[in-house]
């Protein structure tokens, strides 16, 4: 697909969405709201401001696996990862395993802007969130705790096998018929700058201290002067394939964003199988796409020539209209 800049894309996570059909209408509304808010920002500010605004709306929705809706680890606690990257100037900021901020994506942006570092983790990142006056996260959402209790019961009763430290991403694949809806955004502004932002509660039932792809530039997010991409899915596979860096590199080598995404996802699927990942990408020439090897990945876009926000990627629909 191709659009006239400025262009903004968002997604609500790659996963087993069929199980959650009843949630679809809400998700579509939330994605549209995120696109509209982000696009308003994109009218007067740069791509990085727009992607952060869009992801903030998704974090605040409480119905996706990020910010207020974040899933919990094996202890039933929320720890979140987030990252942002700006192609103009090649700057990035990320946080991992944070518990304090309501909007980890804002903390990631502040790490990029206010420190000399790219990635700050755990309680030290939480201290920065407090220091910079960010709003505090209220703790796990009710629907997340209910799902957690259900799973703990199934694990206790032996209905689902659980190996605490080994091959948990296969377990995640089984469990993620449930909550698997990390959020992300990419944008191309009218000055030709590209940006990416991502935020997640990670994988449900992860062990404490686990960090996923969303905190790692090149894995869960990447932007340079050619393209910006954000990934979702089982973070362990995305880290191993460096999915977003690979996609952006294919664009640098001459492919359009949609072709690059397909090539990177084909490789990813060959390595790790179906049901493992999805991504959204936009390039400096206005080509873009959302692609996934899972049942669904609600994603949407808005461009100067697209009219209002459009949402695609629902189960049983195609990734490209
Ligand atoms: N990629 C995220 C993680 O592994 C999860 C997701 O995309 O839903 O932390």
């Amino acid at each position: 697909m191709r659009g006239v800049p400025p262009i903004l894309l968002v997604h609500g996570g790659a996963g087993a969405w069929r199980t959650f059909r009843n949630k679809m209408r809400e998700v579509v509304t939330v994605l549209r709201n995120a696109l509209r808010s982000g696009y308003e920002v994109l009218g007067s500010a740069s791509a990085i401001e727009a992607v952060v605004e869009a992801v903030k709306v998704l974090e605040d929705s409480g119905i996706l696996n990020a910010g207020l809706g974040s899933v919990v680890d094996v202890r039933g606690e929320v720890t979140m990862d987030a990252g942002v990257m700006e192609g103009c100037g090649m700057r990035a900021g990320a946080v991992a395993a944070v518990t304090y901020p309501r909007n980890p994506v804002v903390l990631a942006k502040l790490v990029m802007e206010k420190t000399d570092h790219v990635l700050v983790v755990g309680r030290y990142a939480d201290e920065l969130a407090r220091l910079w006056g960010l709003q505090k996260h209220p703790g796990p959402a009710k629907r997340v705790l209910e799902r957690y209790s259900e799973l703990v019961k199934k694990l206790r009763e032996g209905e689902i096998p659980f190996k605490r430290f080994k091959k948990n991403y296969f377990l995640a694949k089984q469990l993620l018929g449930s909550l698997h809806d990390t959020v992300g955004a990419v944008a191309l502004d009218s000055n030709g700058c590209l940006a990416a932002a991502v935020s997640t509660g990670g994988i449900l039932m992860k062990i404490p201290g686990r960090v996923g792809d969303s905190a790692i530039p090149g894995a869960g997010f990447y932007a340079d002067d050619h393209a910006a991409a954000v990934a979702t899915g089982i973070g362990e596979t995305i880290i191993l394939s460096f999915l977003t860096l690979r996609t952006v590199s294919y664009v640098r080598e001459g492919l359009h964003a949609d072709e690059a995404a397909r090539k990177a996802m084909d490789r990813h699927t060959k390595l790790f199988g179906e049901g493992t990942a999805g991504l959204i990408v936009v390039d400096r020439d206005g080509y873009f796409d959302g692609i996934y090897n899972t049942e669904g990945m609600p994603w949407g876009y808005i461009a100067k020539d697209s009219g209002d926000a459009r949402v695609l990627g629902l189960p049983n629909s195609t990734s490209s209209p």
Side-chain angles (χ1 to χ4, degrees):
M1 274 184 261
R2 192 176 189 187
V4 175
I7 302 171
L8 174 67
L9 277 77
V10 298
H11 76 75
W17 280 94
R18 201 167 318 217
T19 339
F20 290 90
R21 271 194 186 290
N22 50 359
K23 201 174 126 181
M24 251 335 141
R25 199 183 293 249
E26 259 182 295
V27 171
V28 170
T29 304
V30 165
L31 291 186
R32 284 215 179 99
N33 291 344
L35 283 166
R36 287 174 188 147
S37 295
Y39 207 66
E40 208 180 309
V41 170
L42 201 49
S44 57
S46 57
I48 188 75
E49 305 295 337
V51 291
V52 169
E53 171 62 22
V55 167
K56 206 166 158 254
V57 171
L58 299 170
E59 286 178 336
D60 283 343
S61 74
I63 62 159
L64 295 165
N65 173 19
L68 296 184
S70 293
V71 300
V72 290
D73 61 20
V74 279
R75 305 164 302 174
E77 288 175 23
V78 167
T79 59
M80 300 164 287
D81 302 337
V84 301
M85 187 154 179
E86 189 175 37
C88 288
M90 290 290 283
R91 302 196 297 163
V95 292
V98 291
T99 60
Y100 186 87
R102 171 186 167 115
N103 294 109
V105 74
V106 173
L107 184 58
K109 181 165 178 273
L110 290 173
V111 166
M112 177 178 85
E113 292 171 343
K114 289 180 182 275
T115 77
D116 292 327
H117 310 302
V118 168
L119 174 60
V120 183
V121 306
R123 69 183 168 92
Y124 303 102
D126 282 330
E127 273 170 30
L128 290 177
R130 259 184 231 112
L131 181 73
W132 291 330
L134 266 56
Q135 262 183 282
K136 191 176 178 331
H137 194 285
K142 194 167 156 262
R143 79 175 182 108
V144 172
L145 284 178
E146 282 166 5
R147 186 74 187 118
Y148 169 74
S149 309
E150 245 175 72
L151 286 172
V152 168
K153 193 163 167 265
K154 283 188 182 165
L155 290 166
R156 285 220 176 97
E157 289 166 1
E159 212 177 299
I160 306 174
F162 183 56
K163 293 183 191 151
R164 185 156 179 174
F165 298 112
K166 200 86 182 113
K167 295 287 179 216
N168 265 354
Y169 75 75
F170 292 117
L171 173 69
K173 254 174 107 166
Q174 267 180 289
L175 296 178
L176 291 173
S178 53
L179 306 165
H180 191 203
D181 15 355
T182 285
V183 305
V186 292
L188 168 66
D189 64 30
S190 20
N191 293 321
C193 282
L194 292 142
V198 60
S199 181
T200 186
I203 292 278
L204 182 64
M205 303 299 268
K206 64 188 179 182
I207 64 168
R210 179 262 190 190
V211 173
D213 58 300
S214 306
I216 301 175
F221 63 101
Y222 199 76
D224 68 6
D225 56 341
H226 279 69
V230 154
T232 166
I234 297 170
E236 283 68 12
T237 68
I238 297 166
I239 292 169
L240 292 175
S241 74
F242 261 86
L243 190 55
T244 55
L245 175 61
R246 196 169 298 280
T247 305
V248 170
S249 301
Y250 289 151
V251 175
R252 282 195 90 81
E253 286 162 17
L255 295 184
H256 294 316
D258 44 354
E259 300 162 337
R262 210 155 291 275
K263 187 170 171 186
M265 276 299 297
D266 282 351
R267 181 182 180 276
H268 188 92
T269 307
K270 263 190 210 118
L271 286 172
F272 300 105
E274 298 286 340
T276 50
L279 62 98
I280 52 173
V281 58
V282 61
D283 70 26
R284 62 181 182 179
D285 297 322
Y287 289 91
F288 64 89
D289 209 356
I291 175 165
Y292 47 91
N293 66 16
T294 53
E295 258 176 38
M297 182 188 75
W299 69 280
Y301 67 92
I302 185 164
K304 204 171 178 182
D305 56 342
S306 73
D308 198 4
R310 299 192 177 192
V311 176
L312 308 151
L314 310 178
N316 293 338
S317 73
T318 55
S319 68
S320 305

